[in-house]
Structures are given as structure tokens and as C-alpha cells.
């Protein structure tokens, strides 16, 4: 692993306390070129987590607060008439950035949610019939509040499948939370501006190195057995798609790189399987009635698949 990436990860974990696993998974996702659905109650540092990553990478950062009256053009942009010059001009929206935080994405109707689809999948935006390419490094992090559903519009399964990971942000441990409280009271918490650790050109070069991480046929078989297992059990109503297997494989390459290896192991697959699958499967009604969670079922399924040597 490059020294710049090691320094970035160390600085990231120093500024965001109590979320080390999620920080590594978030970094794995952007290295893979995927997008992340971030779920957690208010006040757990989701926005700070994404803003800090943008600062460390030296990339542009925009945040959109999703509301019921938000229009697709508020995200992508629109054409306006310039009376002074007597011509129409394109006004690009906040989606033209490196890292985009879609805050509370489930608070806006499906039409506006869908405005993100073309951008996330194709890295392009269409404004009044004209197509504009987004930047090479384009990363969407969409947040959801898991405890408040009044006036919300749940993301359709097809749109959730566009996200590489679904990460769950929980409260930090007692000591970590106490440390945050202490630093805020003493005015020492994040007073200094986030220093850029690497430039985007270096980041793109690292992405290309990750593409060369080796995945053996045995490990590919392991991924496919896990994905197909989600379709062959009566515990799951809707199983994972082929895109889920692709996501697991690509994310495992990033995780192996962060672990300073040039090959993927079954342990890498186990590490990324849960965040890559939890938003792509739907439990059967009888399993939900028994009180089982998606994460518990995924652990059980992954544990039932023989690990390759």
C-alpha cells in the first residue's frame, strides 16, 4: 500500500473517532469506484465523515439536503436565459463535484431520487437533452435516518442495488464518545482545517493498481456460492443480483490493497459481504416475524459456505 494512503487512513481515523471499520469500508468503496448508502441516527458524524474524506483527498465536496419539494433540476442543473447576452446558458447543479453527500435521500420523491441514477451508473448527466460528463473521481454517499419514517419515500430495490455498500453508523464506545465530548468542551475538536494528504491524480493511479489485485478462481467460486445461496434459501424472499457478486469482488480487491496484499483471500470476502449484501436482499416474512436481522442471516449464510483453501 502506498505511503500516501497509509497517511490518509491514519489521519482519517484520528479525526473521526469510534468508526474505524466504517472509515475503512468507506475508503474501500471510493477506491473501488462505487457509492455508499450510510444509515444512522442523527448526531453520529455522518456528514463529518464524508466531508473529512473529501478534504484529505483534496477533492470538491457538495452536500444536498433532500426534501419533499426538491426537483431533479435542483440536483443536475438547468438551462437559464441570460437576458444580457440574449442566449441560454447551462447552470450546472451540485452533482458536478468529486464527492456528493445526498443527505436524507429518502425524504424526496422517487422522481428526484432517480435523477441520481444516471450519474451514479454512467457518470454523466443530461440537461435539456445535452449530455455532460462528470469528473473521473465521482463518489455519492447517501444518508438515511433508520428511526424516522414519517413523510419518507423508501428507496426502490433497483436504486439501492446501485450502491456498493450499505454502512450502518452506530454510537462509538463509552471512552471514544467521552473523548469526543471532552475535546468539544475544550474547543480542541477539529479546529484545524483538514490537510490534503494526496492529490486526485495519485488517487486515480492507486485505483488502477487495485484493478491488478489477483482474485483466484477458487475465491470467485466462493463469491458466487455466497450470492447464489441468498437465492436458494427460504429465509430470503428476494436474493442478491449478479451486481452483488461484482460488488463483493471489487470491494474485496480494495480491502486486500488496504491490507497491503496483492491478492484476495476468503477473509476479505467475509469482511465486505455484509455491507455489500444487506441492502440487496429481502427477508422472508416468517423470518422477520421471528425477529432475525438481515446481518444475522448474512452471517449464517456466509458461514454455511465452505471456505476454499
Amino acid at each position: 500500500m502506498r505511503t500516501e494512503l497509509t497517511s490518509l487512513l491514519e489521519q482519517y481515523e484520528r479525526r473521526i473517532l469510534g468508526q474505524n471499520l466504517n472509515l475503512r469500508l468507506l475508503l474501500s468503496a471510493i477506491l473501488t469506484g462505487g457509492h455508499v448508502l450510510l444509515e444512522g441516527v442523527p448526531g453520529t458524524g455522518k456528514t463529518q465523515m464524508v466531508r473529512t474524506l473529501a478534504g484529505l483527498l483534496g477533492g470538491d465536496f457538495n452536500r444536498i439536503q433532500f426534501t419533499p419539494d426538491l426537483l431533479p433540476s435542483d440536483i443536475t442543473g438547468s438551462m437559464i436565459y441570460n437576458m444580457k447576452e440574449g442566449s441560454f446558458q447551462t447552470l450546472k447543479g451540485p452533482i458536478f463535484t468529486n464527492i456528493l453527500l445526498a443527505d436524507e435521500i429518502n425524504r424526496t420523491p422517487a422522481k428526484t431520487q432517480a435523477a441520481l441514477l444516471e450519474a451514479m451508473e454512467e457518470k454523466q448527466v443530461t440537461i435539456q437533452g445535452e449530455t455532460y460528463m462528470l469528473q473521473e473521481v465521482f463518489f455519492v454517499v447517501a444518508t438515511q435516518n433508520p428511526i424516522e419514517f414519517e413523510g419518507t419515500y423508501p428507496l426502490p430495490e433497483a436504486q439501492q442495488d446501485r450502491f456498493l455498500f450499505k454502512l450502518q453508523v452506530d454510537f462509538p464506545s463509552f471512552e471514544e464518545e467521552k473523548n469526543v465530548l471532552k475535546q468539544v468542551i475544550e474547543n480542541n475538536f477539529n479546529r484545524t482545517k483538514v490537510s490534503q494528504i494526496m492529490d486526485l491524480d495519485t488517487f486515480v493511479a492507486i485505483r488502477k493498481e487495485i484493478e491488478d489485485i489477483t482474485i483466484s478462481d477458487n475465491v470467485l467460486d466462493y463469491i458466487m456460492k455466497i450470492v447464489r445461496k441468498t437465492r436458494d434459501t427460504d429465509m430470503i424472499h428476494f436474493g442478491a443480483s449478479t451486481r452483488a457478486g461484482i460488488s463483493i469482488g471489487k470491494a474485496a480487491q480494495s480491502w486486500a490493497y488496504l491490507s497491503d496484499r496483492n491478492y484476495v483471500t476468503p477473509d476479505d470476502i467475509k469482511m465486505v459481504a455484509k455491507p455489500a449484501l444487506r441492502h440487496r436482499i429481502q427477508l422472508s416474512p416468517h423470518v422477520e416475524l421471528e425477529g432475525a436481522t438481515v446481518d444475522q442471516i448474512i452471517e449464517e449464510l456466509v458461514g454455511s459456505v465452505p471456505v476454499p483453501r
Side-chain angles (χ1 to χ4, degrees):
M1 184 167 66
R2 291 201 185 195
T3 54
E4 300 99 322
L5 198 56
T6 304
S7 301
L8 186 148
L9 192 55
E10 288 174 356
Q11 185 67 22
Y12 202 13
E13 292 175 346
R14 193 175 297 125
R15 296 188 71 90
I16 307 295
L17 304 178
Q19 299 291 343
N20 287 6
L21 177 58
N22 278 334
L23 297 185
R24 280 180 167 263
L25 289 169
L26 202 63
L27 187 55
S28 295
I30 190 172
L31 285 168
T32 303
H35 308 284
V36 171
L37 193 59
L38 208 57
E39 191 171 89
V41 297
T44 48
K46 299 187 294 296
T47 300
Q48 190 64 30
M49 198 182 294
V50 183
R51 192 190 301 273
T52 300
L53 179 59
L56 293 171
L57 289 173
D60 296 327
F61 171 80
N62 281 334
R63 175 182 174 273
I64 304 174
Q65 181 64 53
F66 279 68
T67 56
D69 60 347
L70 196 73
L71 298 174
S73 58
D74 294 328
I75 298 173
T76 59
S78 57
M79 296 282 285
I80 60 171
Y81 185 71
N82 188 324
M83 296 184 65
K84 186 177 180 180
E85 297 184 4
S87 61
F88 284 95
Q89 292 182 343
T90 301
L91 185 65
K92 293 183 178 180
I95 202 168
F96 289 88
T97 187
N98 295 123
I99 296 181
L100 177 70
L101 178 64
D103 213 357
E104 295 192 291
I105 191 174
N106 57 335
R107 290 208 171 277
T108 200
K111 184 178 181 181
T112 305
Q113 292 173 359
L116 280 174
L117 284 177
E118 181 187 17
M120 289 169 61
E121 191 70 17
E122 307 294 338
K123 284 195 175 180
Q124 64 183 32
V125 169
T126 302
I127 303 173
Q128 296 291 321
E130 195 77 28
T131 300
Y132 300 88
M133 299 304 297
L134 296 171
Q135 299 187 52
E136 186 172 4
V137 178
F138 175 65
F139 182 49
V140 175
V141 180
T143 70
Q144 288 189 143
N145 181 347
I147 60 173
E148 194 177 349
F149 297 104
E150 186 176 348
T152 61
Y153 304 83
L155 285 176
E157 283 76 10
Q159 184 154 338
Q160 289 196 57
D161 201 33
R162 294 292 200 281
F163 290 94
L164 179 82
F165 284 157
K166 179 181 179 181
L167 303 182
Q168 295 176 332
V169 182
D170 205 349
F171 294 108
S173 67
F174 181 90
E175 287 300 325
E176 288 164 336
E177 195 166 13
K178 177 184 172 184
N179 194 21
V180 172
L181 181 62
K182 182 179 178 181
Q183 290 187 46
V184 170
I185 290 174
E186 294 176 353
N187 283 328
N188 292 325
F189 191 67
N190 290 347
R191 280 199 308 178
T192 57
K193 186 179 178 182
V194 177
S195 300
Q196 180 180 339
I197 301 297
M198 71 169 70
D199 56 56
L200 292 179
D201 290 337
T202 304
F203 183 77
V204 171
I206 291 174
R207 273 186 173 178
K208 288 182 168 56
E209 291 177 10
I210 289 173
E211 291 173 1
D212 294 330
I213 298 290
T214 302
I215 305 184
S216 67
D217 280 345
N218 284 343
V219 175
L220 287 175
D221 288 342
Y222 185 53
I223 295 172
M224 286 314 306
K225 285 175 182 176
I226 291 172
V227 171
R228 295 180 73 87
K229 190 83 171 177
T230 66
R231 307 171 195 160
D232 298 336
T233 173
D234 62 355
M235 293 187 294
I236 295 176
H237 187 48
F238 290 118
S241 66
T242 304
R243 187 186 277 124
I246 296 170
S247 297
I248 292 172
K250 286 183 170 294
Q253 285 180 303
S254 291
W255 192 266
Y257 188 88
L258 288 175
S259 303
D260 210 17
R261 274 183 282 103
N262 62 356
Y263 59 91
V264 173
T265 69
D267 285 338
D268 298 325
I269 305 302
K270 290 179 180 179
M271 186 58 68
V272 302
K274 199 182 293 182
L277 290 175
R278 60 165 60 111
H279 57 300
R280 289 186 163 103
I281 63 177
Q282 191 177 89
L283 298 184
S284 297
H286 72 275
V287 176
E288 290 184 325
L289 286 173
E290 291 170 1
T293 66
V294 171
D295 282 4
Q296 288 172 345
I297 298 303
I298 293 172
E299 282 183 18
E300 188 175 328
L301 289 180
V302 172
S304 67
V305 176
V307 178
R309 290 182 178 273

